[in-house]
Amino acid sequence: MRFFSKKKSAERPTVGLVLGGGGARGFVQVGALKAFYERGIDFDLCVGTSVGSIVGALYCAGLTPDEIARAAEHIELSDLHGRLLIKPDDPRKIGRVVYNLIGDAKIENLKKRYAAVATDLKTGKQVIMDKGSVLDAVSASSAYPIVYAPLEKDGMNLSDGGLTNNIPADVARMLGADKVVTVDAHGSRGSGTDGKGVFDMLKAMFSIMGANASAVGLMQSDIIIAPDTSAFKSTSKDGYKEMMELGYAVATEQCDEIEKLFEPQP
């Protein structure tokens, strides 16, 4: 097995991994990580939004794709949210899933540089969480509006990063990435609806917003891995093994091109 990033030379580019939002479709990201691992592709940093912040935190903490997959297989919806949508739930329920795997980790102490993107509902602006509690970072970044209450932190009301920056390639470049590989778990976002019910309209609204919040990041990515996940739901684990296999297959097809990103520049 070759490793392309264990020791970063001064000559080669810094290569960052970006993991976008997509709810349960994030299983494709776990499959992609497995493909990278088997090829010895080891990124220098990772930035994630929503489910991508969760997968990215575990990756930067040093868990192998198989370890992440085993943990994900045992997660149930009830672990993340109460069964009744009477009021927004505690977003730290999401963070506790990560806490159970890596403890009360600090971002500064992870094995790779890491950041999660959230949105401050008070200002409407993105917030880059690149220090402090990993639990808080993933909780804020994944706090889907209405389903979860915002995370109150440092005078901000932090909610899902997908509202402002669903594919945070620009953040990866801000953190030092010269090249960016993006795994987009929900490339079919942006579709509308024929329905006129409240939930139909809300679903379409967030889908359209997510597409707009992804456009710039996709343009700023050097390589995009975007499996067709339209057959799966963002709110259900159904088909999670198929999603991991799909992510693995699509990422494997692009590993040759990804390896070239690590080559020294003239």
Side-chain angles (χ1 to χ4, degrees):
M1 180 183 294
R2 294 174 294 170
F3 281 89
F4 290 84
S5 176
K6 280 298 184 183
K7 293 183 179 180
K8 181 183 182 302
S9 68
E11 295 78 19
R12 75 158 181 81
T14 296
V15 185
L17 175 65
V18 168
L19 302 175
R25 293 182 175 97
F27 279 103
V28 300
Q29 297 172 344
V30 181
L33 288 181
K34 182 175 177 63
F36 301 148
Y37 183 80
E38 290 183 357
R39 287 289 290 264
I41 296 172
D42 192 17
F43 295 93
D44 299 303
L45 58 91
C46 180
V47 180
T49 291
S50 200
V51 67
S53 74
I54 300 172
V55 177
L58 298 177
Y59 172 69
C60 290
L63 273 68
T64 67
D66 284 343
E67 289 172 331
I68 297 173
R70 283 196 294 271
E73 287 174 358
H74 291 91
I75 294 174
E76 299 298 337
L77 183 61
S78 58
D79 297 327
L80 304 176
H81 193 280
R83 294 188 180 277
L84 298 177
L85 293 176
I86 298 175
K87 64 178 182 178
D89 212 337
D90 179 4
R92 284 193 170 87
K93 283 187 176 180
I94 306 169
R96 290 189 192 111
V97 172
V98 175
Y99 177 90
N100 290 339
L101 294 170
I102 64 174
D104 188 21
K106 301 298 181 184
I107 294 175
E108 300 92 324
N109 296 331
L110 296 178
K111 295 182 178 181
K112 295 180 183 293
R113 190 163 190 191
Y114 166 80
V117 174
T119 300
D120 180 9
L121 295 183
K122 288 186 178 181
T123 63
K125 296 180 179 180
Q126 78 168 2
V127 176
I128 300 170
M129 306 185 75
D130 61 348
K131 58 181 180 298
S133 168
V134 174
L135 185 153
D136 283 353
V138 300
S139 298
S141 184
S142 305
Y144 196 77
I146 301 175
V147 178
Y148 292 99
L151 180 76
E152 297 181 17
K153 186 177 178 65
D154 299 330
M156 299 179 288
N157 290 337
L158 298 176
S159 192
D160 198 306
L163 296 174
T164 50
N165 196 350
N166 200 55
I167 304 290
D170 58 332
V171 177
R173 294 188 184 278
M174 288 170 57
L175 295 183
D178 302 303
K179 302 291 183 180
V180 174
V181 175
T182 287
V183 182
D184 185 0
H186 190 12
S188 60
R189 71 176 64 84
S191 58
T193 180
D194 290 330
K196 297 181 181 179
V198 173
F199 287 107
D200 289 328
M201 290 187 288
L202 283 173
K203 181 179 178 181
M205 178 183 71
F206 284 119
S207 179
I208 293 167
M209 290 170 59
N212 291 334
S214 302
V216 173
L218 293 172
M219 288 188 293
Q220 293 197 13
S221 301
D222 294 284
I223 294 177
I224 301 169
I225 297 168
D228 181 0
T229 56
S230 58
F232 307 99
K233 295 181 179 180
S234 62
T235 56
S236 173
K237 277 184 63 179
D238 291 347
Y240 73 89
K241 290 184 179 179
E242 289 82 357
M243 283 189 272
M244 286 193 285
E245 291 170 358
L246 178 61
Y248 176 86
V250 176
T252 297
E253 293 174 355
Q254 300 202 52
C255 279
D256 287 344
E257 293 302 312
I258 294 172
E259 288 174 357
K260 294 178 182 178
L261 298 181
F262 288 87
E263 295 176 356
Q265 301 298 297

